C-alpha cells in the first residue's frame, strides 16, 4: 500500500464535480446590488406601518450564464478520499450516498444539526451521508473548524464533507437543502429591510437549487422570516416542485405540545394532532381545537378556555424569549432537534390518525387559505419525502379569524418581496414587528 | 381527567428523594476554604518548575455529617410528572430507568451531550433516562434554560430532568456520573493552582458520589486536569470500586485515528488499536507501534518514521489549538461525541481484536506503569460496564521512554494534590505547562 501525503483541504477529487468547468452555470448576485428601495418609515410606534416601494423592478427568476464559477467547493481532509462502499462487507448493504446541503453551517444550530446528520440519527444506520456546508467568506475558517470536528468524530456513515461559499457549487446534486443561514436583524433595521436582505439570499439560493440540485430536492427553510424566505426560494426555482419547499414551524409545534402537556399534567408523549397554522411569527396560530391528549380533544381535558385562547399561544410564542433570558443564547439545540423531527416526518410514515405541522405551499389547500403563499398547515406523509394536507380538521370562527390574520401578514410580506419573486414592484405595508421573541 | 395547574419547576415529586431529610448526608466544602498554599513560583520560562507546599494538611476522604441538606435538587417542569412505564404498551418492554448525572451541565460540551443522552443515541431505544444536571449558583438560570430545551425536544425516552447545585442531591442513585464541569484556568494561574482549585471540586464530588450514588456508578471525568481529577474523585469515594473511574482520553484517540488515516490515505474506519498512553496533557503518548490500518501494523503502512515519532503526536496534541483558531471556540461537539464513544465502549462488547483508550487506575496493570495513578491505557470491555486492560501490546524503548515521562508527570501531579487524596502534605514540583493547546 502506498503511503499518501498528509491530505490537505485543497485536494479535490469529488467525482461528480470533476467536469465542472464545462457545465453551464448561473450566478445572480450582481443584479440585486443595483436595486434601490425608497423607504420612508413612519414614526416607530408598535403599530406603525412602513411603506416602501422598490424603484426598479427586478425580474426573478432570472438566470445569468457565466463561463466560469467563482470558487470551487472543496472536499475536506479525510473526506477527500475515494473508496467503494459496495466493495466491503460492512458497507455493501448500505443505501446510495445521500447529499445534504446545510447553509449557515458555521452557526450554532448547524453545529448541533450536522453531527446529528452525520451520526445516522436522522436518516438511519444504513444511509451514508455527504454533508455540503455552505458558509460565507467571513465564516470559511469556521467551516473548516466544523469539518475538522466532523473528521475527529469518526462517524462511519459520514463519507463526504464539502465546504464552500458558492451555492451553485455546494448545492450540486443535493437531495436535501437545509437552509439555516440568514442575516440577523441589525439595530434599527425594519422588518421590510430584513425581508429584503434575507430575501435576496434565498432568491439566490433558489436559483442555485434550480440550476444544480437534484430535481426532487427537499428544501427546509429555517432562516427567518422563514415562510416568505421559503416562498422566495421556491419562486426562484421553477423547475423544482413547489411542494418540496418547507418553512420550519416544528419547534413551535413541539413547544405547543409541551405546554399542553404541562397544563394537562400529562407527559408530552400523550399530546398529538397539534397544528401550528400560518406564519412563523407572532401571528402564528397554535391550534388547540384539533389537538388531542390521550386521544381525547384537548378542549375536553383542559377546561380553562381562557388559558387555551390566550395564555397557551403566548407561552408558545414567548418561549424563545424566556429561553434567551435564562440561557443567554437562542435555542440552537432544540431548534436542531425540531429540524430532525421535520425531516423524519417526511421520511417515516406519519402514525395513523396523527399529523405534523410544516410551512408549505398553499395552492390547492382545502381550507380556503389564500393561494400562492407558504403557510404552516397540518400534513401527513407516507414516508416517501412527500406529504399531503390533512382534510379532516375543524375550523371554528375563533380559529379562522386568527388564521386570516396570519394569512394577511403573509400576503403583506409577499407584496413586500415582489421584486424577489418575479411578480413586479415591491410594496411594503407591514405591521411594525411580528418577529418571535428570542429570534433575530 | 383532572385539569392540572401549569406545573412550575418548584414542584417536587421525585419519589426516591421523598424521604430525604431522614437520611444521613455529607457536606465537605467548608473544610477546604481554610487551606492555604504557600506558593513561590520561579521565573516563568517554559521549563521552569514551581514549588508549592500546603501549609496545612487536610485529611481526605473525610465525611461530615449534617442534619439537613442545603438545597434540594429540583425536578423540572414536565419532568415532574409521575407515570408508570410498565402500564403502557409502548413502554412496557423498556428497561428500568437509568439515572445519569452530568456536571457542568450549562456548558457547551454538555449542551451537545445532554441531547444525545436524551435521544437514545447513547443507551439505546428501549432505555429510558433520567438526566440530573449539576451546575453552580452562577449557572442555575442557564440550567433551567437547558431543561426547557430538553422539554421542547419531546424525547420519548427522557423521563426525568433534575437540576441542582449540590452534588449530594444531584448524584443520588446515579449509575453514571459524567463530570464535565471544571474551573477554567484564569490569567496568571499556575498549573498547581488549577490542580488545587479543580481538585477541590472533584474531591467534593467524589465524597458526594461515595455518599449517595449507586454502589456501581461509572464515573467519566472530562474536566481538566482530568487524570488527576479522576484520581482525587476516586480517592474520596472509597466505597466505589476504583475501576469505575475513567479520565477521558477518547477525543485524543479519535484525533489520532483521524491523523493516521489522513497520512495513510485511508478512511478512518480502517484504523484500529490506537492507544493513548498516559496523561491527557502534552506528555500524552499516541501509540503508533501497536496501531493498525486495515489490520496491518501502521509502521508497515506509514514508512515515514520521523512523521510517526514527531509530527503525528504533535498533530494530535495541537488539534484543539488549531480548532480554536479556526472556529473561535473549543471543540464542544467532537468532545461530546468522544464522551458518547467512551460510554458506549463500556456498554457494548469491544470488537474482536480491537481496544479503546481510557484513563484508568493503574494498580495491578501488566505494563509496569507506576501503581495508584490514573493513566490512559488500552482497554477491552464485554459490554457490561466493566473493562480489562489489554495484555498483548508491544512496548519498545521509544514508547516506554515516553510513557515514563507521562508517568513522571502524573506522579508529580499526585504529590501536588496529596492534601486532596488523604495522603498528607502536598508538594508541587510540576513542569511549567503541559496543558493541551485549546484547553483551559
Amino acid at each position: 500500500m502506498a503511503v499518501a501525503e498528509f491530505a490537505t483541504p485543497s485536494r479535490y477529487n469529488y467525482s461528480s464535480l470533476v467536469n465542472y468547468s464545462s457545465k453551464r452555470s448561473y450566478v445572480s448576485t450582481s443584479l440585486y446590488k443595483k436595486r434601490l428601495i425608497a423607504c420612508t418609515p413612519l414614526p416607530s410606534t408598535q403599530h406603525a406601518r412602513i411603506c416602501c416601494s422598490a424603484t426598479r423592478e427586478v425580474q426573478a427568476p432570472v438566470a445569468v450564464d457565466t463561463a466560469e464559477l467563482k470558487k470551487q467547493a472543496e472536499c475536506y481532509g479525510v473526506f477527500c478520499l475515494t473508496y467503494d462502499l459496495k466493495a466491503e462487507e460492512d458497507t455493501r448493504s448500505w443505501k446510495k450516498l445521500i447529499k445534504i446541503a446545510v447553509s449557515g453551517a458555521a452557526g450554532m444550530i448547524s453545529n448541533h444539526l450536522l453531527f446529528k446528520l452525520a451520526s445516522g440519527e436522522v436518516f438511519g444506520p444504513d444511509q451514508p451521508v455527504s454533508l455540503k456546508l455552505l458558509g460565507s467568506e467571513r465564516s470559511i475558517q469556521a467551516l473548516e473548524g466544523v469539518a475538522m470536528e466532523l473528521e475527529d468524530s469518526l462517524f462511519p456513515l459520514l463519507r463526504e464533507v464539502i465546504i464552500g461559499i458558492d451555492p451553485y457549487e455546494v448545492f450540486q446534486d443535493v437531495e436535501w437543502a437545509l437552509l439555516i443561514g440568514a442575516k440577523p436583524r441589525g439595530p434599527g433595521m425594519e422588518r421590510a429591510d430584513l425581508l429584503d436582505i434575507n430575501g435576496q439570499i434565498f432568491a439566490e439560493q433558489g436559483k442555485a437549487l434550480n440550476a444544480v440540485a437534484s430535481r426532487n430536492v427537499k428544501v427546509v427553510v429555517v432562516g427567518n422570516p422563514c415562510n416568505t424566505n421559503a416562498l422566495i426560494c421556491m419562486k426562484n426555482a421553477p423547475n423544482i416542485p413547489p411542494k418540496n419547499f418547507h418553512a420550519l414551524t416544528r419547534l413551535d409545534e413541539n413547544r405547543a405540545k409541551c405546554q399542553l402537556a404541562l397544563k394537562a399534567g400529562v407527559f408530552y408523549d400523550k399530546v398529538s394532532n397539534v397544528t401550528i397554522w400560518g406564519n412563523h411569527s407572532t401571528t402564528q396560530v397554535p391550534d388547540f381545537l384539533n389537538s388531542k391528549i390521550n386521544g381525547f380533544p384537548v378542549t375536553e381535558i383542559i377546561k380553562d378556555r381562557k388559558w387555551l385562547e390566550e395564555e397557551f399561544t403566548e407561552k408558545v410564542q414567548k418561549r424563545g424569549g424566556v429561553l434567551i433570558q435564562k440561557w443567554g443564547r437562542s435555542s440552537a439545540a432544540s431548534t436542531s432537534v425540531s429540524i430532525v423531527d421535520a425531516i423524519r416526518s417526511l421520511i417515516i410514515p406519519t402514525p395513523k390518525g396523527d399529523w405534523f405541522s410544516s410551512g408549505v405551499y398553499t395552492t390547492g389547500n382545502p381550507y380556503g387559505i389564500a393561494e400562492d403563499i407558504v403557510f404552516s398547515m397540518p400534513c401527513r406523509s407516507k414516508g416517501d419525502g412527500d406529504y399531503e394536507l390533512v382534510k379532516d380538521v375543524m375550523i371554528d370562527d375563533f380559529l379562522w379569524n386568527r388564521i386570516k390574520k396570519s394569512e394577511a401578514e403573509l400576503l403583506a410580506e409577499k407584496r413586500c418581496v415582489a421584486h424577489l419573486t418575479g411578480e413586479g414592484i415591491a410594496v411594503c405595508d407591514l405591521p411594525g414587528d411580528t418577529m418571535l421573541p428570542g429570534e433575530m
Side-chain angles (χ1 to χ4, degrees), chain A:
Chain A
M1 188 180 293
V3 178
E5 284 303 301
F6 186 84
T8 65
S10 60
R11 259 181 70 197
Y12 187 76
N13 58 3
Y14 181 55
S15 57
S16 69
L17 291 179
V18 164
N19 297 319
Y20 211 93
S21 57
S22 65
K23 288 187 188 173
R24 275 166 57 93
S25 51
Y26 304 82
V27 279
S28 61
T29 42
S30 59
L31 262 184
Y32 293 111
K33 291 192 181 131
K34 295 177 193 147
R35 200 175 56 79
L36 293 167
I37 291 188
C39 187
T40 318
L42 294 175
S44 173
T45 65
Q46 207 189 334
H47 296 289
R49 297 176 100 74
I50 50 165
C51 301
C52 312
S53 56
T55 55
R56 181 192 300 222
E57 181 175 347
V58 179
Q59 285 183 327
V62 63
V64 182
D65 201 341
T66 54
E68 277 290 330
L69 278 163
K70 291 165 290 186
K71 193 172 160 62
Q72 287 185 327
E74 287 173 346
C75 66
Y76 193 83
V78 78
F79 304 107
C80 297
L81 296 166
T82 51
Y83 42 72
D84 180 3
L85 293 178
K86 292 294 169 205
E88 291 176 40
E89 198 181 341
D90 289 350
T91 57
R92 193 170 298 152
S93 62
W94 285 4
K95 296 175 186 160
K96 188 170 159 285
L97 187 76
I98 193 171
K99 295 182 201 289
I100 306 159
V102 177
S103 78
M108 287 314 295
I109 295 170
S110 298
N111 199 240
H112 286 268
L113 181 62
L114 290 166
F115 290 79
K116 290 176 194 292
L117 293 166
S119 74
E121 183 183 337
V122 185
F123 289 98
D126 59 349
Q127 178 60 71
V129 295
S130 162
L131 292 179
K132 309 182 83 170
L133 316 188
L134 181 65
S136 60
E137 294 216 20
R138 202 174 46 84
S139 71
I140 192 76
Q141 287 259 322
L143 283 192
E144 274 189 61
V146 174
M148 286 171 69
E149 286 209 77
L150 287 168
E151 279 187 316
D152 291 343
S153 297
L154 309 181
F155 292 117
L157 291 163
L158 181 61
R159 291 293 167 151
E160 287 184 342
V161 173
I162 284 173
I163 62 178
I165 61 172
D166 183 339
Y168 287 83
E169 288 290 341
V170 175
F171 291 165
Q172 190 73 236
D173 298 325
V174 297
E175 284 153 87
W176 289 85
L178 312 174
L179 305 184
I180 297 164
K183 281 252 164 34
R185 186 158 169 179
M189 194 189 279
E190 298 287 349
R191 189 159 162 85
D193 299 333
L194 189 76
L195 270 166
D196 181 58
I197 288 174
N198 280 319
Q200 290 186 43
I201 293 171
F202 285 88
E204 189 186 2
Q205 292 183 1
K207 288 184 213 305
L209 288 167
N210 199 54
V212 300
S214 157
R215 293 304 81 189
N216 198 25
V217 60
K218 302 296 185 295
V219 184
V220 181
V221 176
V222 179
N224 282 317
C226 67
N227 291 55
T228 297
N229 287 342
L231 183 73
I232 293 167
C233 194
M234 173 201 302
K235 291 289 180 178
N236 284 275
N239 300 334
I240 296 167
K243 255 194 125 173
N244 291 17
F245 291 81
H246 297 261
L248 187 81
T249 55
R250 188 57 171 268
L251 180 57
D252 305 301
E253 177 188 321
N254 288 356
R255 287 171 172 174
K257 281 181 169 163
C258 187
Q259 293 307 315
L260 290 173
L262 276 161
K263 180 68 176 173
V266 301
F267 198 61
Y268 45 60
D269 64 344
K270 299 289 173 281
V271 186
S272 65
N273 302 82
V274 175
T275 310
I276 301 293
W277 295 92
N279 199 3
H280 177 72
S281 75
T282 56
T283 69
Q284 70 174 222
V285 188
D287 172 359
F288 58 85
L289 184 65
N290 293 285
S291 295
K292 291 180 181 169
I293 290 176
N294 277 317
F296 295 96
V298 157
T299 49
E300 288 179 22
I301 309 291
I302 299 171
K303 302 287 192 188
D304 184 349
R305 188 81 187 190
K306 186 165 177 294
W307 185 89
L308 286 172
E309 291 189 357
E310 293 167 25
E311 283 174 69
F312 169 50
T313 301
E314 204 170 272
K315 281 201 182 289
V316 173
Q317 290 179 357
K318 293 200 170 157
R319 187 78 168 170
V322 175
L323 234 152
I324 285 208
Q325 277 174 6
K326 298 271 186 197
W327 164 233
R329 280 176 266 223
S330 62
S331 49
S334 54
T335 302
S336 96
V337 169
S338 77
I339 297 169
V340 171
D341 289 344
I343 297 170
R344 288 179 63 82
S345 286
L346 293 169
I347 61 174
I348 293 171
T350 310
K352 197 170 173 335
D354 203 0
W355 60 67
F356 59 91
S357 308
S358 187
V360 291
Y361 194 48
T362 50
T363 296
N365 81 84
Y367 317 110
I369 294 164
E371 308 231 314
D372 204 32
I373 53 176
V374 170
F375 202 86
S376 186
M377 299 180 284
C379 304
R380 293 182 49 78
S381 175
K382 296 188 179 76
D384 54 358
D386 204 358
Y387 68 92
E388 55 194 30
L389 293 173
V390 176
K391 292 199 178 63
D392 52 339
V393 292
M394 297 174 284
I395 301 185
D396 63 7
D397 286 350
F398 178 83
L399 184 55
W400 186 244
N401 287 336
R402 298 184 64 203
I403 284 175
K404 292 302 278 183
K405 272 189 198 154
S406 206
E407 180 197 87
E409 179 179 53
L410 280 166
L411 289 169
E413 287 189 13
K414 186 186 170 189
R415 287 191 295 275
C416 189
V417 297
H419 59 299
L420 297 172
T421 57
E423 288 167 19
I425 294 171
V427 178
C428 287
D429 180 24
L430 295 169
D433 190 359
T434 60
M435 296 282 283
L436 286 165
E439 293 192 338
M440 289 184 298

